[in-house]
Amino acid sequence: MPYMNDTDLYNTIGANIKLYRKKAKLTQVQLAEHSRISISYLSKIEAAGCTKSLSLSVLNQIANVLDVEITEFFKEEKNYG
């Protein structure tokens, strides 16, 4: 499904990162440290209404730490629980 705007895309990515982080039982601090990004940056990425763009390199680092395919971050889910 195409994204209507960048904010929708960033919200989907952020929600998925948060979902997989919680499934991995990691805190934001742990994921940020393992991904070599700042906690404030990760917090902004995961926040609803995020307008912060991020590089494929950062997404790849996060995906590697969470042991998920990078494409999982782009999938829209009905319920993020």
Side-chain angles (χ1 to χ4, degrees), residues 12 16 19-20 72 75-80:
T12 298
N16 282 319
L19 175 73
Y20 284 104
E72 293 298 311
K75 294 181 179 177
E76 288 186 284
E77 295 294 329
K78 298 282 188 226
N79 180 7
Y80 288 106

Side-chain angles (χ1 to χ4, degrees), residues 7 17 23 33 40 43 47 56 62 66-67 73:
T7 301
I17 289 172
K23 283 185 178 181
E33 286 175 353
S40 63
S43 177
L56 287 176
I62 294 170
L66 296 175
D67 195 28
F73 296 146

Side-chain angles (χ1 to χ4, degrees), residues 48-80:
C50 172
T51 58
K52 182 86 172 158
S53 66
L54 59 157
S55 70
L56 287 176
S57 176
V58 167
L59 273 182
N60 189 55
Q61 287 168 226
I62 294 170
N64 288 339
V65 171
L66 296 175
D67 195 28
V68 298
E69 293 290 326
I70 196 170
T71 56
E72 293 298 311
F73 296 146
F74 296 91
K75 294 181 179 177
E76 288 186 284
E77 295 294 329
K78 298 282 188 226
N79 180 7
Y80 288 106

Side-chain angles (χ1 to χ4, degrees), residues 5-36:
N5 54 53
D6 289 349
T7 301
D8 289 346
L9 173 62
Y10 300 147
N11 284 336
T12 298
I13 292 170
N16 282 319
I17 289 172
K18 184 176 183 177
L19 175 73
Y20 284 104
R21 175 180 61 76
K22 287 186 173 193
K23 283 185 178 181
K25 296 182 172 37
L26 293 174
T27 65
Q28 283 186 334
V29 171
Q30 291 169 321
L31 179 56
E33 286 175 353
H34 292 303
S35 301
R36 297 181 309 276

